[in-house]
Amino acid sequence: MKLTKILTNKLVSFWLLSLTAVGFIFLLGSLVSFTQLTFKFQQQKVTQLESMLVEHYQSDSLWDLHAWLPPMLIAYNANSFKLTRENQLLFEYHSPNPQGNPTLFKHSLGEKSDLIMELTLPQPSLLNQLGWYEYLSLLIALVAIGLFVRYGLRWFTEELDGIEQIAQRSHLIMDGKHQQALEFTGKARPRLINRAMTKLLEQLQDAQKERGRFDQFIRSKTFLDPSTRIGNRIFFENRLEALTHQHSMIAHGAVLLMNFDDLDLLQQQHGDEAVNEQLNDLVQAIQKLLSDVEDTIFARYAFNQFIVVAPQFSLTEADSLANKLLKIGISQLQNQSDSQDNYVHLGAAFYKAGDTQEQILEEVEMALKAAQLQRSNNWFMYDKGAVDKEIAKGSVRWRSFLENTLVNRRFVAITEKVMDSDDIACHQEVFSRAIDNQGNEIRATLFIPMANKCGLMPQVERQLLETVLFELMANNQDVFSVNLSLDSLTSRAFIRWLKSTLLEHRPLASRLIFEVTEDIVVKHQQDLAENLDMLRKMGSRLCVDHVGLQVVGTHYIQECHFDLVKLHRSIIQQIHLKSENQLFIRSLIGGLYRAEVQVFAEGVTSFEEWQTLKILGVSAAQGDFFNQ
């Protein structure tokens, strides 16, 4: 930030103006005093001449004016002199070198005398010419004054520069740039105020971090298992609900439930610490296995049960995952009892779009019981038989379908309004649909995972953005929000195209909101910071969505300067009946109170949910409740 020094310039200008005014008044007073003094001195000489003429006229000495008067007039530098008595000229004198602009003195000499004197003298100020000594003295005085003023100006500027830095730091604080204000380097003065500001900023930063830690603590106590630090049953149920729409699953996938029969006996034999250490090793091994699989849900379902949900999984992939989980369970959790060959069982169930949550959990528990009936460490898959044709479609066919859809521009945009607490539309969120050769719509939940695997998301989202910018925005003045994936945000070609497009259509940038998933921001914050900052500087707003899906801190919201926060539907569903979710929302909104960040909600399906959200302080929401 450039230092403007507005206060310094004003005070220095006032100081210089005051010095100039004082100097001008001083010089003017000196000139007036000098002029008055010379005139007074000249008047005294004229008076002395009058006295001498009266004395000579009244004395008995010789009245010989020609003898003594001319030298005196020459000494007076008189231009002319005339002395008359009763209109009779007694004496007259004219200077051979008269000076211009003379002063005339015409007086009657004595009270009873009839003598009249007329004397013309030059201006007294003209008779006093300055010499080299006076000029040298004046030059030295001016140089001394100039040096003094320069030193005073420099000192004055340096002293006020500290105040300017205090003002600059205050501007950073008022603009909400607390981190820049804390890192501000300079010699701000008064130093006491500067140190006080630094201390307060440090305390504010600690308070914000503590608020974030407290918020994360509340979430972890509510949604995490205290022993293994993974999601508990409440966390699992919320995440599973997020995969449903109107209580039906959106897409296909697999659920795997792992059970350890003698875990309580192991705990009694070896103690809590030893068993918890083995459980943590087990959790780490399973998390490592699932790290390459996107959107999986892993939680502790019960004291001796762990559950995994793998969306978009095929039957073959589910079989492979079940085998690997069983091997990890046998190798990580040691059982030296007689039942060591019959203590780990795994039940799996494959679900399709349209299946209910209760149905899936019932099927996976039936599969677990079937595995336990075999009296050995094994797994069992509950298979309903028929496999959806779209589920069985291989990745090669998916890639061909997506590339063909891109070439024929068959990705279409649908919008959903986001309503505020006054039932006024804030903006519209844009979703994508793919049209197949038969004209049927394919939901984004089906083709987006495959597009991510094939690396085609930047092309898909570019086509969607072109539709928004040049079709939707051309027909109305609404604001639109568009989701961006990790591949798009890290693609140089996509970012270069987006930057040039927004620069070319600058008025449209302010009508765009770019949404990024919380999980992506948390894991790749450093990689995304530059591109997110570029979008914000272009005039667009930033939104982080799917908030609450993961148990993480919220400090990234202010660090990345997000304008909007969108709560995930798993937090919203049945919010009026879930006090733990209400506590999370209160904590989140409280932590963002002074950050000027609006909190939105997605997936609102009922009036009770919307009323509860408004009471909690949520600014706006979207979902089926508003689309009715």
Side-chain angles (χ1 to χ4, degrees), residues 353-364:
D355 291 349
T356 64
Q357 180 178 341
E358 293 77 8
Q359 178 185 353
I360 296 170
L361 294 178
E362 182 180 347
E363 290 173 356
V364 76

Side-chain angles (χ1 to χ4, degrees), residues 236-244 249 297 309 357 361:
F236 167 75
E237 291 175 352
N238 285 340
R239 290 293 304 273
L240 190 60
E241 286 179 0
L243 299 177
T244 65
M249 302 304 294
I297 303 172
V309 180
Q357 180 178 341
L361 294 178

Side-chain angles (χ1 to χ4, degrees), residues 464-479:
L464 182 66
L465 271 171
E466 288 175 345
T467 303
V468 173
L469 289 169
F470 308 126
E471 295 182 19
L472 296 181
M473 286 189 170
N475 296 328
N476 56 59
Q477 297 297 317
D478 291 346
V479 178

Side-chain angles (χ1 to χ4, degrees), residues 232-461:
N232 55 19
R233 186 158 186 162
I234 297 176
F235 170 82
F236 167 75
E237 291 175 352
N238 285 340
R239 290 293 304 273
L240 190 60
E241 286 179 0
L243 299 177
T244 65
H245 179 70
Q246 293 181 347
H247 305 292
S248 299
M249 302 304 294
I250 300 175
H252 67 277
V255 181
L256 301 97
L257 180 61
M258 181 183 294
N259 184 82
F260 298 92
D261 291 340
D262 298 332
L263 188 61
D264 53 347
L265 296 178
L266 288 176
Q267 194 173 28
Q268 294 176 4
Q269 294 173 2
H270 303 289
D272 294 343
E273 185 175 349
V275 172
N276 287 338
E277 184 177 352
Q278 293 186 38
L279 287 176
N280 287 324
D281 293 338
L282 171 69
V283 168
Q284 291 179 8
I286 295 177
Q287 287 177 334
K288 185 177 180 180
L289 173 65
L290 300 177
S291 61
D292 297 331
V293 185
E294 294 184 358
D295 300 328
T296 55
I297 303 172
F298 178 43
R300 191 171 186 176
Y301 192 68
F303 171 74
N304 61 337
Q305 292 181 343
F306 295 87
I307 192 165
V308 176
V309 180
Q312 306 289 338
F313 254 47
S314 63
L315 282 172
T316 304
E317 291 172 326
D319 291 347
S320 175
L321 181 60
N323 279 317
K324 292 177 181 178
L325 287 174
L326 185 64
K327 290 180 181 179
I328 291 175
I330 295 173
S331 62
Q332 293 293 332
L333 198 62
Q334 301 297 327
N335 188 352
Q336 304 298 332
S337 64
D338 297 337
S339 60
Q340 58 181 338
D341 295 330
N342 183 28
Y343 74 99
V344 181
H345 306 94
L346 189 147
F350 188 82
Y351 65 87
K352 299 187 296 183
D355 291 349
T356 64
Q357 180 178 341
E358 293 77 8
Q359 178 185 353
I360 296 170
L361 294 178
E362 182 180 347
E363 290 173 356
V364 76
E365 288 177 357
M366 291 174 60
L368 177 62
K369 290 179 180 178
Q372 290 172 330
L373 290 174
Q374 296 181 25
R375 303 292 180 179
S376 63
N377 295 332
N378 57 21
W379 64 273
F380 182 83
M381 169 73 77
Y382 185 93
D383 185 5
K384 293 190 284 293
V387 179
D388 197 312
K389 183 170 62 176
E390 290 296 329
I391 299 173
K393 185 186 293 186
S395 59
V396 175
R397 291 187 59 195
W398 268 112
R399 186 179 186 89
S400 300
F401 167 75
L402 292 172
E403 289 178 345
N404 183 55
T405 306
L406 283 170
V407 171
N408 295 300
R409 301 188 67 85
R410 290 205 301 264
F411 283 103
V412 298
I414 62 172
T415 61
E416 183 179 76
K417 291 184 178 181
V418 179
M419 312 297 291
D420 63 12
S421 56
D422 297 325
D423 294 332
I424 300 175
C426 299
H427 63 269
Q428 299 186 54
E429 183 173 357
V430 180
F431 300 94
S432 58
R433 293 286 187 272
I435 308 299
D436 61 13
N437 295 328
Q438 287 75 35
N440 300 319
E441 285 189 3
I442 299 179
R443 297 176 63 90
T445 51
L446 287 176
F447 70 78
I448 282 182
M450 301 310 300
N452 280 319
K453 289 182 179 180
C454 299
L456 296 175
M457 279 307 295
Q459 293 92 317
V460 173
E461 291 179 347

Side-chain angles (χ1 to χ4, degrees), residues 416-553:
E416 183 179 76
K417 291 184 178 181
V418 179
M419 312 297 291
D420 63 12
S421 56
D422 297 325
D423 294 332
I424 300 175
C426 299
H427 63 269
Q428 299 186 54
E429 183 173 357
V430 180
F431 300 94
S432 58
R433 293 286 187 272
I435 308 299
D436 61 13
N437 295 328
Q438 287 75 35
N440 300 319
E441 285 189 3
I442 299 179
R443 297 176 63 90
T445 51
L446 287 176
F447 70 78
I448 282 182
M450 301 310 300
N452 280 319
K453 289 182 179 180
C454 299
L456 296 175
M457 279 307 295
Q459 293 92 317
V460 173
E461 291 179 347
R462 174 173 175 172
Q463 194 170 114
L464 182 66
L465 271 171
E466 288 175 345
T467 303
V468 173
L469 289 169
F470 308 126
E471 295 182 19
L472 296 181
M473 286 189 170
N475 296 328
N476 56 59
Q477 297 297 317
D478 291 346
V479 178
F480 294 89
S481 63
V482 182
N483 235 298
L484 294 182
S485 64
L486 176 62
D487 289 347
S488 298
L489 286 170
T490 55
S491 170
R492 292 184 178 180
F494 179 85
I495 292 297
R496 189 163 47 247
W497 167 82
L498 181 58
K499 184 177 180 179
S500 61
T501 303
L502 293 180
L503 284 173
E504 186 177 354
H505 304 85
R506 201 61 181 264
L508 299 181
S510 59
R511 295 169 54 198
L512 278 175
I513 301 173
F514 291 102
E515 298 188 10
V516 188
T517 304
E518 182 187 54
D519 187 51
I520 294 176
V521 177
V522 172
K523 293 180 180 178
H524 308 277
Q525 182 175 344
Q526 297 298 327
D527 299 331
L528 302 180
E530 183 179 353
N531 291 334
L532 291 177
D533 190 56
M534 180 271 295
L535 294 175
R536 186 173 58 86
K537 290 179 178 179
M538 287 287 183
S540 301
R541 288 186 287 172
L542 299 178
C543 173
V544 54
D545 65 350
H546 290 188
V547 174
L549 195 60
Q550 306 292 335
V551 182
V552 295

